[in-house]
Amino acid sequence: MIGRSRVFVSAAVCAAALVAVGQPGGAGSRSLSVDTDLGLHAAAWSAVDSSLYVAGNHPSARGDVDIVLRRVGTDGRPVWQRTVSSRADEFARGVAVMADGSVVVAGWRETTDGDDVLLARFDARGNRIWLRLHDDSFGGDDRALAVA
């Protein structure tokens, strides 16, 4: 937790739950960590509009795991929620708000030959701008754990 204060934000991925996240620690402080027991792994505060973005994982109806990104307004209510989904498992571990107000989620996608780095960028309205995957030529697991 950054600072002494706590803010309780409605940040459930698919159920009503409360997650405690630290308040931003001043100018330039945009990344926070959150309670991983609920499948939520990263949060970022936007200096542009004071929204909170929370990224985590949720099982899909198909039985795989998807990345879920949620924007929470200043009133603590969800503004929108987006999913990064395929037939493989995707995991989020980092999220950051860019200077233009867009949001980047970092994580990985599990494949048959190892994990691939996954980066996805969304605008402030939740529209996906791009999705990038990276697999090195050496095989094995490649994971993004944070984004700055």
Side-chain angles (χ1 to χ4, degrees), residues 90-103:
E90 289 89 12
F91 297 92
R93 289 300 182 270
V95 62
V97 180
M98 304 292 107
D100 66 357
S102 65
V103 182

Side-chain angles (χ1 to χ4, degrees), residues 4-31:
R4 293 184 182 186
S5 304
R6 284 192 155 206
V7 177
F8 289 90
V9 178
S10 174
V13 175
C14 283
L18 292 176
V19 139
V21 298
Q23 285 185 328
S29 176
R30 294 194 245 163
S31 255

Side-chain angles (χ1 to χ4, degrees), residues 46-63:
S46 170
V48 174
D49 62 8
S50 297
S51 291
L52 182 70
Y53 294 87
V54 181
N57 307 104
H58 182 70
S60 76
R62 294 183 310 271

Side-chain angles (χ1 to χ4, degrees), residues 75-122:
D75 61 358
R77 295 180 186 204
V79 176
W80 51 255
Q81 179 173 299
R82 301 295 183 262
T83 305
V84 177
S85 178
S86 70
R87 296 203 181 275
D89 291 340
E90 289 89 12
F91 297 92
R93 289 300 182 270
V95 62
V97 180
M98 304 292 107
D100 66 357
S102 65
V103 182
V104 177
V105 177
W108 68 90
R109 177 179 285 166
E110 289 185 348
T111 65
T112 56
D113 65 342
D115 300 341
D116 295 342
V117 169
L118 182 149
L119 297 171
R121 189 170 191 164
F122 296 83

Side-chain angles (χ1 to χ4, degrees), residues 113-116 134-142:
D113 65 342
D115 300 341
D116 295 342
H134 172 74
D135 182 23
D136 69 29
S137 58
F138 301 107
D141 293 338
D142 304 312

